[in-house]
Amino acid sequence: MRWTDDRGGNVDDRRGSGGGGGMIVGGGLGTLIIAAIVFFLGGDPSGILNSGSVQSSGNSERRELTAEEKQIGQMVDMLDAWNSQTWNQVFKENGMTYVDPKIVLFEDTTNSACGTAQSAMGPFYCPADQKVYMDMSFFGELQQRFGAKVTEFTVAYVLAHEVGHHVQTLLGTTQKVDALRRSGRYSEAEMNRVSVATELQADFYAGVWARRTDDSKKILEPGDIQSAIDAAEAVGDDNIQKRGQGYVNQESFTHGSSAQRKEWFMKGYNTGDIRQGDTFNQLLK
């Protein structure tokens, strides 16, 4: 991935400042997203969904960031700028106004409006405060546990996917999904299918971002798109279930299969058109 001098200024780097304790409150869409990500990492989300809260205490010791950590911070700041510039342009073209999310880098734990952010959750987007939370140790987990070769563009893809959830919030999609869940009219299996459509649309938006950003800045180098595809396939529900339990249960999918995640990312990349990403009509017929 070719670096540029762009910096966004929307990164809140909490690494080295000590973990923050806090409480995660059950009942909101943020909890569902976090629980889905716990499952995404092979964990059991029932503790989050079934209990009213989860208490977490953090380490308050401060430390100096290493040179490598500082460089990672610079890369995320650059990716923030790229996301901001690309999505501002896409929204403008469609007669809308884009509002940047904040990106929070942390280690171990930190506070969010969706509750306590923990490393084991993986990167996630919190609609309540419109922030993306990332503990960079996730990428080691992605490589070691799920077999994805991690590159700089892997980080770019994961961040773009989470910013895709922010785009959904700005467009009202997140709120509509939450209303469906709160209505109580739909079974768990039906809501799982809605969750899959939501996640695949975020993959589609990540693909749109990659195409539009490369068109304007020529950031892509050989192998970058493949590294994004590898990451998307590695965290497909079928791959995670095979690795974790030895068999696949499609009704319990919450993020989509490896093939679906590749398909929708590439559709976004090949079209570069946000209007082509209606996963809901295509998947919920």
Side-chain angles (χ1 to χ4, degrees):
M1 184 177 76
R2 190 181 67 83
W3 285 43
T4 69
D5 293 331
D6 298 283
R7 298 294 183 270
N10 291 311
V11 178
D12 176 8
D13 195 342
R14 302 179 186 175
R15 299 172 301 165
S17 63
M23 184 169 288
I24 189 166
V25 180
L29 179 63
T31 302
L32 286 183
I33 292 174
I34 292 170
I37 293 167
V38 173
F39 174 76
F40 162 101
L41 287 172
D44 179 6
S46 60
I48 292 176
L49 291 176
N50 296 334
S51 64
S53 63
V54 175
Q55 186 71 35
S56 173
S57 60
N59 183 353
S60 60
E61 182 179 349
R62 304 180 69 89
R63 66 174 182 84
E64 181 71 20
L65 296 181
T66 66
E68 181 181 7
E69 287 172 327
K70 290 177 181 177
Q71 185 177 27
I72 289 171
Q74 288 295 309
M75 179 178 70
V76 173
D77 201 9
M78 176 181 68
L79 295 173
D80 166 48
W82 293 352
N83 275 276
S84 177
Q85 292 163 14
T86 293
W87 284 113
N88 268 289
Q89 182 61 34
V90 171
F91 270 55
K92 183 178 179 181
E93 290 170 3
N94 289 276
M96 300 178 293
T97 301
Y98 182 72
V99 179
D100 294 327
K102 182 78 77 174
I103 301 168
V104 178
L105 296 181
F106 72 99
E107 53 190 359
D108 299 329
T109 65
T110 195
N111 292 320
S112 82
C114 293
T116 299
Q118 297 176 324
S119 298
M121 295 170 181
F124 71 94
Y125 171 71
C126 176
D129 57 17
Q130 297 192 7
K131 295 180 181 179
V132 174
Y133 291 83
M134 297 179 68
D135 184 327
M136 302 305 290
S137 66
F138 163 78
F139 294 97
E141 188 87 356
L142 186 63
Q143 183 162 298
Q144 294 162 17
R145 290 190 60 187
F146 300 116
K149 181 181 178 182
V150 173
T151 68
E152 290 179 345
F153 199 74
T154 306
V155 179
Y157 155 69
V158 170
L159 179 58
H161 174 95
E162 301 306 334
V163 173
H165 286 308
H166 177 63
V167 170
Q168 291 173 321
T169 295
L170 296 181
L171 296 178
T173 306
T174 303
Q175 295 85 333
K176 290 176 182 176
V177 170
D178 191 29
L180 290 178
R181 182 190 65 80
R182 291 177 181 274
S183 73
R185 298 196 303 266
Y186 301 94
S187 67
E188 180 181 355
E190 288 171 326
M191 286 310 302
N192 283 346
R193 289 196 291 273
V194 172
S195 176
V196 168
T198 303
E199 295 298 330
L200 293 180
Q201 188 176 66
D203 277 332
F204 171 84
Y205 289 156
V208 169
W209 169 82
R211 164 48 61 88
R212 294 294 299 265
T213 304
D214 188 54
D215 284 348
S216 63
K217 294 186 176 293
K218 306 302 180 187
I219 62 168
L220 293 177
E221 295 180 322
D224 281 345
I225 291 299
Q226 187 59 50
S227 72
I229 291 171
D230 289 347
E233 291 180 329
V235 293
D237 285 318
D238 50 346
N239 185 48
I240 291 174
Q241 289 184 0
K242 285 177 185 176
R243 288 174 178 268
Q245 62 192 27
Y247 63 92
V248 173
N249 176 11
Q250 189 168 347
E251 284 196 358
S252 67
F253 282 8
T254 57
H255 284 66
S257 69
S258 297
Q260 287 176 311
R261 299 200 69 164
K262 173 183 177 180
E263 174 191 355
W264 282 97
F265 173 80
M266 288 307 300
K267 183 175 181 180
Y269 178 72
N270 288 329
T271 66
D273 182 0
I274 192 175
R275 296 168 296 181
Q276 303 299 314
D278 190 351
T279 55
F280 295 89
N281 277 338
Q282 294 212 25
L283 296 170
L284 302 179
K285 292 179 181 177

